[in-house]
Amino acid sequence: MFTSQVDMKMVLEINKSLRDHHMLSEIHTYSGCATCGLRLMRKNNEDINMILDIIQDYLDTKWMKVSLNTYDEEMLYINSKFE
């Protein structure tokens, strides 16, 4: 089982990065708990691969990676690249 490794500051920074790339989509925590994973709220059918690339570019500086839940593409996990 995956557990997300982000804090609220990182959620805000990822959302800012998405906005900087003119994306309307955002990520949110589940019930205020980032360890449970993150929820991707896609807007205007924005390309999920582009969104993931932007998130990954941010995470590369922190030795982390983003992955999608196999059964629910709104659910994201952020993990160490060493897992």
Side-chain angles (χ1 to χ4, degrees):
M1 176 167 169
F2 291 104
T3 56
S4 188
Q5 300 181 7
V6 299
D7 56 31
M8 291 306 295
K9 181 180 179 204
M10 288 176 69
V11 170
L12 294 172
E13 289 172 347
I14 290 169
N15 283 333
K16 182 183 180 318
S17 182
L18 289 169
R19 284 190 309 275
D20 288 347
H21 286 87
H22 309 288
M23 304 294 273
L24 298 175
S25 298
E26 301 176 325
I27 60 169
H28 297 274
T29 61
Y30 279 96
S31 302
C33 177
T35 61
C36 299
L38 299 171
R39 182 169 176 227
L40 174 62
M41 299 189 65
R42 285 174 59 197
K43 309 260 173 101
N44 298 336
N45 286 329
E46 291 175 332
D47 180 28
I48 194 159
N49 292 317
M50 182 179 272
I51 293 168
L52 293 176
D53 287 344
I54 293 167
I55 294 171
Q56 189 58 57
D57 286 345
Y58 169 82
L59 294 173
D60 281 342
T61 63
K62 302 184 180 312
W63 296 94
M64 300 178 122
K65 63 182 176 182
V66 63
S67 59
L68 283 174
N69 181 300
T70 307
Y71 305 104
D72 180 1
E73 67 177 32
E74 286 186 355
M75 180 101 173
L76 302 176
Y77 299 109
I78 309 294
N79 299 94
S80 168
K81 285 188 174 184
F82 303 107
E83 287 185 3

